[in-house]
Amino acid sequence: MSLIITDECINCDVCEPECPNEAIYQGEEIYEIDPDKCTECVGHYDEPQCQQVCPVDCIPLDENNPETEEQLIAKYERLTGESYVEV
C-alpha cells in the first residue's frame, strides 16, 4: 500500500526531497502523498525514505490503499521505465 501523511505533519520540508518518485507535494495545509506515484521506495531503497527522515513519525501505511509487493513493483516499472532489480 502507499503511504499517507497524517495531520500530525509539521511541514518541516524534509520528506519531499527524499522521495525518488516525486510523490510528495505541499497540500493546502500539510504535505501530501500521491498514491499513484508512491511505491514505498520499492525499486529505489529498502525502506521508505520519507519515513526515515520524518521527525514526528506521521507517515504510516495508507490502510485505505492496499497494494501488494507485485503492484508496487509494477508501479515502479511504469513510473521509471526500468525493470525492477531487488535492492
Side-chain angles (χ1 to χ4, degrees):
M1 55 189 72
S2 64
L3 302 167
I4 188 169
I5 297 176
T6 66
D7 58 5
E8 284 85 27
C9 175
I10 59 172
N11 289 313
C12 66
D13 303 319
V14 298
C15 62
E16 183 181 27
E18 296 299 320
C19 182
N21 297 319
E22 298 180 350
I24 300 174
Y25 61 94
Q26 179 63 53
E28 284 189 34
E29 295 182 25
I30 60 172
Y31 279 92
E32 297 180 23
I33 296 177
D34 181 343
D36 293 330
K37 293 182 176 180
C38 179
T39 62
E40 297 177 42
C41 290
V42 166
H44 297 284
Y45 302 102
D46 290 333
E47 298 178 345
Q49 297 302 288
C50 59
Q51 286 181 329
Q52 299 303 305
V53 298
C54 181
V56 292
D57 195 28
C58 69
I59 310 176
L61 290 173
D62 182 357
E63 299 292 332
N64 295 318
N65 192 15
E67 293 176 292
T68 65
E69 181 81 11
E70 291 78 21
Q71 289 172 310
L72 293 171
I73 290 169
K75 190 188 307 185
Y76 163 81
E77 290 177 340
R78 179 178 47 82
L79 289 169
T80 65
E82 298 177 12
S83 295
Y84 173 75
V85 177
E86 195 165 330
V87 288

